[in-house]
Structure formats: structure tokens, C-alpha cells
Amino acid sequence: MYRFSNTVIGVINLLSLLASIPIKGTALWKARSSKTCENFLQTPLLVIGFIILLVSLAGFIGACFNVAWALWVYLVVMIFLIATLMGLTLFGLVVTSQGGGVEVPGRVYKEYRLGDYHPWLRERVRDQEYWNSIRSCILTSKTCSKIESWTTLDYFQRDMTSVQSGCCKPPTACTYETGVIVGGEDCYRWNNGIETLCYECDACKAGVLEEIRLDWRKLSVVNILVLVLLITVYAAGCCAFHNTHHAAHPYHPSDDNRMTKVRPRWDYYWWRWWHEKKEQLY
């Protein structure tokens, strides 16, 4: 049992140690590959990857080299990591529970409303400084240039991403005839200028939030799988800590009490015989 549990925890933590490297690499890559350059998910990934690196290193050393204090640190940090990851996962599920697109009659794509999303997400995109960085990134990614050549028929037959639907065109309900604009506030914010378009529209902010919502939902699924793995590793770590501690302290005073329940001490039968004789005399 000693070798089995310690070998298992050592191998698992070695794999976790190696896995922390691509986790951090994924966080850096995600910031560059995102359509909106939204990077607030990048920081948690970097932090989680760094913590897994340190925790796995401590668990690997403790399990393979019988270092009890390293396993103790490993178990303490691991329980905080599990609690933190569980809290972030629950928070992500709550925040992303609202939102989603609205069907547009006669169109393949959907349109998005800012009011449909969680207040915490809405407050982030309403911060002008924060929104300016996202807007600059959308311009750099040339997301809207991909649909510049679309014909009227394409708008009826082809699908769009949530960012293209909200930022690259006015809402479908808007009408522009003889200088009269009919529709909501976003209809007035729309401009044909390539630097303007509908980047200040609520529909554009909602489209960005939809991208974030989908990414966060995927991350929540990964977090759940990681939680299952961490809880399994934690249970194995507890066994390894017990074995390592027992190997460092093979004798404990309480061991005598536990052993007497199975095999009495040498003086037990003598004590019993003496008391039986004493009762017979008196």
C-alpha cells in the first residue's frame, strides 16, 4: 500500500507538473487568438497554471522522496486550490447563465441584446477605458472586413459571429429612408465609416459578451474535469502523507493500545490468573 499510493501520487503530480506548462502557454495564446482580445480569462489561467506547477512539484518531491513537510504543504495548498477553483466555477456558471442570441426572422444569424446578460458582465463593457481596448482589438483583427464584400443575398443566407452581428452592421430593425432614422438608439450610433461602424452600439457590446460567455462556459467544463482530478489527487495525497509520516515515525505510543486489542501483552494472562486465584481464596 505504501509503495502503491506514493507511486501513484508521484506519477500524477509529475504529469500535472508537465501539464502546467501548456496551461500557461494556452493562456498566453488565447489572448492573441481571441476575436475580441478579451484577456480577463488569461489571468486566471496563468495563476492556475503557476499554482499547479508549484503544488505538483511539492507533491512529487514529498511522495517520491518521503518528505513529510513537502506533502503537508502540498495538501494544505491543494485544499485551497480546490476551494478556489470550485468558487470560480460556480461564479462562472452563474454569470454565464444569462444571455444568448435572438432569432431574426428570415436571417440565419442572430442578434444580441446587452440587457440579456448578467449585470456583472454589462458593467465591464460599460467601462469606456476597458471598452476602448476591446474596440481597438476588433479593428486590428479585421473582423468586419470579412463581410464587407457581402451582397444583400448573403445577409439572408449566411451566418455571422456574434461580434460581426453586433459590431459590423446596424440592427436589422433599423431603417434609413430619406434621412429619417427609425429604430432604437443603436440605429443612431451606426456609421458607415470603417473606423466607426457600430462599435459604440449596445449590440456590439452584447456580441462581445456572447463570445466571452461561450468561452467561459467551455472553461467551466474544463474546470469541472480539473476539480474531479484534483479531488482524486488530494485523496491519494492523503494516503501518501500518512504512509510517509508512518515511515518517518514507525513507533507511536498509541500503537500498544491498538495491538492489545488483537494480541494481549505478555503480562495479561498472568494478571488474569492472579485475580482468579485471589477470588477463590476469598
Side-chain angles (χ1 to χ4, degrees), residues 31-265:
R32 294 295 181 184
S33 64
S34 175
K35 298 175 183 177
T36 64
C37 292
E38 169 53 59
N39 59 3
F40 79 89
L41 290 178
Q42 176 191 4
T43 301
L45 285 175
L46 285 173
V47 172
I48 290 173
F50 184 71
I51 292 177
I52 290 177
L53 175 65
L54 295 180
V55 171
S56 299
L57 183 61
F60 179 75
I61 293 173
C64 293
F65 299 98
N66 297 333
V67 182
W69 68 265
L71 275 175
W72 184 85
V73 172
Y74 164 80
L75 293 175
V76 171
V77 176
M78 182 66 80
I79 194 66
F80 279 105
L81 181 61
I82 291 173
T84 301
L85 193 58
M86 188 176 295
L88 288 174
T89 303
L90 292 175
F91 177 75
L93 291 174
V94 171
V95 167
T96 59
S97 61
Q98 303 178 30
V102 178
E103 299 285 346
V104 180
R107 310 295 172 95
V108 178
Y109 60 81
K110 296 180 180 180
E111 292 187 338
Y112 304 87
R113 300 170 182 171
L114 187 59
D116 292 342
Y117 292 86
H118 193 276
W120 187 83
L121 290 175
R122 294 202 304 264
E123 289 302 317
R124 290 187 65 86
V125 295
R126 281 174 176 164
D127 181 357
Q128 194 59 44
E129 182 179 355
Y130 178 79
W131 178 250
N132 286 340
S133 65
I134 294 180
R135 173 179 173 172
S136 299
C137 198
I138 297 175
L139 282 168
T140 305
S141 67
K142 301 186 182 301
T143 301
C144 292
S145 63
K146 298 175 182 178
I147 64 173
E148 284 181 354
S149 59
W150 279 19
T151 63
T152 302
L153 186 61
D154 289 330
Y155 280 92
F156 284 92
Q157 295 181 342
R158 300 179 65 177
D159 198 6
M160 298 182 185
T161 66
S162 60
V163 175
Q164 289 174 333
S165 176
C167 304
C168 306
K169 66 171 188 60
T172 306
C174 298
T175 57
Y176 301 90
E177 296 180 358
T178 62
V180 179
I181 302 175
V182 180
E185 294 182 1
D186 281 353
C187 300
Y188 293 89
R189 296 181 180 127
W190 163 260
N191 189 291
N192 285 324
I194 194 64
E195 299 289 330
T196 307
L197 297 181
C198 212
Y199 292 127
E200 293 300 326
C201 297
D202 286 347
C204 183
K205 297 175 181 178
V208 170
L209 291 184
E210 180 63 17
E211 290 283 347
I212 295 173
R213 189 181 77 90
L214 294 177
D215 286 345
W216 208 339
R217 297 290 283 190
K218 295 175 184 177
L219 184 62
S220 295
V221 174
V222 174
N223 285 346
I224 293 173
L225 297 177
V226 171
L227 273 172
V228 174
L229 175 63
L230 289 180
I231 292 172
T232 303
V233 172
Y234 185 80
C238 290
C239 293
F241 176 75
H242 177 268
N243 292 336
T244 301
H245 182 73
H246 185 73
H249 305 85
Y251 173 78
H252 192 276
S254 61
D255 290 345
D256 291 340
N257 295 331
R258 289 198 298 268
M259 293 300 295
T260 55
K261 295 179 181 178
V262 179
R263 182 178 297 174
R265 296 189 310 177

